[in-house]
Every structure is written in C-alpha cells, then in structure tokens.
Amino acid sequence: MHFQWYPGHMTKARRMMQENLKLIDLVIELVDARIPLSSRNPDIDELGKNKARLILLNKADLAEESSNDAWVDYFRRQGYSAVKVNSKKGGGIKSIQTVIQEACREKTERDRRRGILNRPVRAMVVGIPNVGKSTFINTLAGKACAKTGNKPGVTKGKQWIRLNKNVELLDTPGILWPKFEDQSVGRKLAFIGSIKDEILQTEELAGELVKVLNAGYPGILEEKYGISGSEDAYVCLQQIAESRHCLVRGNELDTEKAAAILLDDFRDGRLGRITLEKPEA
C-alpha cells in the first residue's frame, strides 16, 4: 500500500504558519509518543529553526513509560526542551507554563535589557493531523478554546488563545509534508490516524499492524481477543472477526469490520501501552 496525503489546505496552512513566525517567540511541537520521529514534520524543523523550541510527547499514556523517558532524554540531548504529556487526562500539563518560560528565558532577558517588561510569550502550537494540538490547548487553558475531534483535519485556520498575562498561543491546522521518502513513516502515521482513513484500505492497513504487533509485542493480540494467533495477518483478522462476532450476510466473517476494530483498539490504547519507535534504533 502506498501512503500519501497532502490536500490543498495543508499548503495554505504551511504558508500561514510561515507568515506568522515573525510574531512568535516559541514553537511548541506536539508529537505522538508512540512514534516520536515519524510524527515530526521535517517542514516544521525548517520553519522554526531560529526560534526557541519545545517538543511535547503527547498521548504519553498510550506509549511505554520507559520509552517516553528515553525519548525525552533523546530530544533534550538534541537541544530541545521536551516534556511528556497526556492532554486528554491532563498528565504533565501543570509543568508546561514553567517550561514555556524556561524555554524563552533568553528572549525575556533580552526584552528586560531593552526595557520591555511583562510582554507575554507568544507560542505557535504545531504538529501533524490528529496529534492532539487542540485538546492540549483546551486542557492547558482549562476551557474549550479550540475545536477538537478524533480525526485529522478538524482545525482549519489559525486561532489566537490568550492563556494568561504571560502566555498567548496560536493554534494551527495539522500539516503533513508533500512526500514521504520512507513509506514505513507513512504506514505508522496511518496506524495512529493521522492520514484520512477514507483514502486507506482498512484490511491491508490492519494486516500491516498485525505484523508489527506480532514482531514487537508477541502474544498481545491473543491476550486481547482470545484467539490462537497466526503468522498470517489475514488469518489473524479472521480470528478477530470470529471472536468479536463480526459477520456479514450468510454468516461469513466480516474481516473489514474486524480490521476497523483492531485499528480503533490500537489508537485508543485498548491493546495496552505500545511504542513503535525506540530512540536507540
């Protein structure tokens, strides 16, 4: 399966981000803790190279804790500020305001020397689709400021949100990049729901996920679905269909529905805490 998704609004969103960079002190980049490298848009690195940077490993509750710590350490060694967060449940959110001020300490000192006092830090919140930017902003603000949804492409335009007298945030649409040089990156982005499901072949994608889970987390599918398991991904989907009573007319197994169940269970953390990329690799 070939993975690519770059609708026209993403080009427009990238241009809008570029235009607003001159107003920004800090770029806050959200990545998915299960795939911290594959969920980083290389265009964002290019756009934000002269700004203070903060990387948030979002959905940290869905990834292995030891891997989260290893990734935070990895990004800090690269010169970024880095924190693990769980925007939905508020984990790690309390420390963010302090981290923002710390990341922008040089700018604040520079302002003070020029006699500019109490100017709020302006931060742009960026990331790929469905990585949880709007949920993060709403949790940080303590109220619903940004529109959220469990699918890519909910945020369409820019939106300024004033958190308090010290911090203002600019919410931006999720953007991918025009071409995935490595198709395994595209596949992982499809696993976590950052590529529109409607353009994907669900059974084929779920079959790929079965292979990845069998290799990295042997026994996890057998335990979750009460199946005997198989090296053959399609046989595995058939077993899941049988276990979950997914049937079509004529009592045939509905592997399409089983595939959708598996993908949803993975995305929502119902298979347990899973990390698909480790920094040492």
Side-chain angles (χ1 to χ4, degrees):
M1 194 192 312
H2 184 75
F3 299 96
Q4 201 59 56
W5 187 49
Y6 194 70
H9 75 267
M10 289 189 185
T11 309
K12 190 177 165 191
R14 188 188 189 283
R15 204 175 302 125
M16 178 268 290
M17 285 163 66
Q18 205 159 8
E19 286 163 5
N20 282 279
L21 271 170
K22 58 183 178 291
L23 310 171
I24 300 299
D25 306 305
L26 172 70
V27 175
I28 301 176
E29 181 184 0
L30 271 77
V31 300
D32 190 300
R34 294 165 294 182
I35 54 165
L37 281 190
S38 292
S39 57
R40 292 197 71 204
N41 183 341
D43 285 356
I44 288 170
D45 249 1
E46 182 58 31
L47 285 169
K49 63 184 174 190
N50 297 318
K51 300 289 176 182
R53 302 291 299 277
L54 168 58
I55 292 180
L56 301 182
L57 271 88
N58 197 26
K59 307 188 183 183
D61 58 314
L62 304 181
E64 290 177 36
E65 191 62 19
S66 59
S67 296
N68 290 339
D69 291 336
W71 277 112
V72 166
D73 188 47
Y74 169 86
F75 286 124
R76 284 177 180 166
R77 286 200 312 271
Q78 307 286 319
Y80 300 100
S81 296
V83 181
K84 55 187 177 183
V85 294
N86 166 11
S87 298
K88 259 190 180 168
K89 295 175 185 161
I93 295 293
K94 279 184 182 168
S95 68
I96 296 297
Q97 301 241 23
T98 309
V99 175
I100 288 173
Q101 297 300 335
E102 186 65 32
C104 293
R105 198 194 314 184
E106 277 183 36
K107 179 216 76 100
T108 311
E109 290 296 327
R110 214 164 40 241
D111 281 356
R112 193 172 287 131
R113 284 197 298 272
R114 291 174 184 160
I116 304 166
L117 301 175
N118 304 321
R119 186 169 79 79
V121 168
R122 297 188 118 193
M124 183 186 281
V125 182
V126 298
I128 61 167
N130 206 33
V131 80
K133 294 182 301 301
S134 299
T135 303
F136 161 72
I137 288 171
N138 291 342
T139 306
L140 189 58
K143 60 187 179 203
C145 308
K147 199 175 173 188
T148 65
N150 193 22
K151 60 176 192 275
V154 173
T155 305
K156 289 286 191 266
K158 70 173 182 178
Q159 184 183 1
W160 278 103
I161 292 123
R162 189 177 174 87
L163 283 188
N164 51 43
K165 64 180 177 29
N166 298 320
V167 182
E168 292 177 0
L169 297 179
L170 175 60
D171 187 17
T172 62
I175 60 168
L176 293 169
W177 52 108
K179 190 181 179 192
F180 303 140
E181 299 298 338
D182 181 353
Q183 279 293 296
S184 73
V185 168
R187 185 174 66 221
K188 288 175 206 165
L189 292 172
F191 288 160
I192 66 166
S194 291
I195 296 176
K196 214 173 188 175
D197 279 334
E198 288 80 356
I199 68 165
L200 299 167
Q201 293 161 302
T202 310
E203 278 179 90
E204 201 177 327
L205 181 63
E208 293 288 330
L209 182 58
V210 167
K211 290 177 199 167
V212 168
L213 293 175
N214 279 342
Y217 293 86
I220 198 169
L221 298 176
E222 288 85 336
E223 191 180 329
K224 171 68 181 171
Y225 299 109
I227 60 177
S228 60
S230 172
E231 290 288 309
D232 187 307
Y234 187 70
V235 170
C236 236
L237 287 178
Q238 286 179 314
Q239 291 179 356
I240 293 169
E242 196 171 357
S243 162
R244 288 294 183 264
H245 309 293
C246 304
L247 302 170
V248 288
R249 235 177 281 167
N251 271 355
E252 282 188 35
L253 293 171
D254 187 348
T255 47
E256 182 85 24
K257 190 175 177 187
I261 286 171
L262 173 60
L263 288 167
D264 282 347
D265 284 346
F266 168 71
R267 289 169 184 173
D268 293 339
R270 288 189 289 268
L271 297 179
R273 299 180 75 159
I274 292 169
T275 301
L276 299 183
E277 292 177 343
K278 306 285 172 80
E280 62 269 19

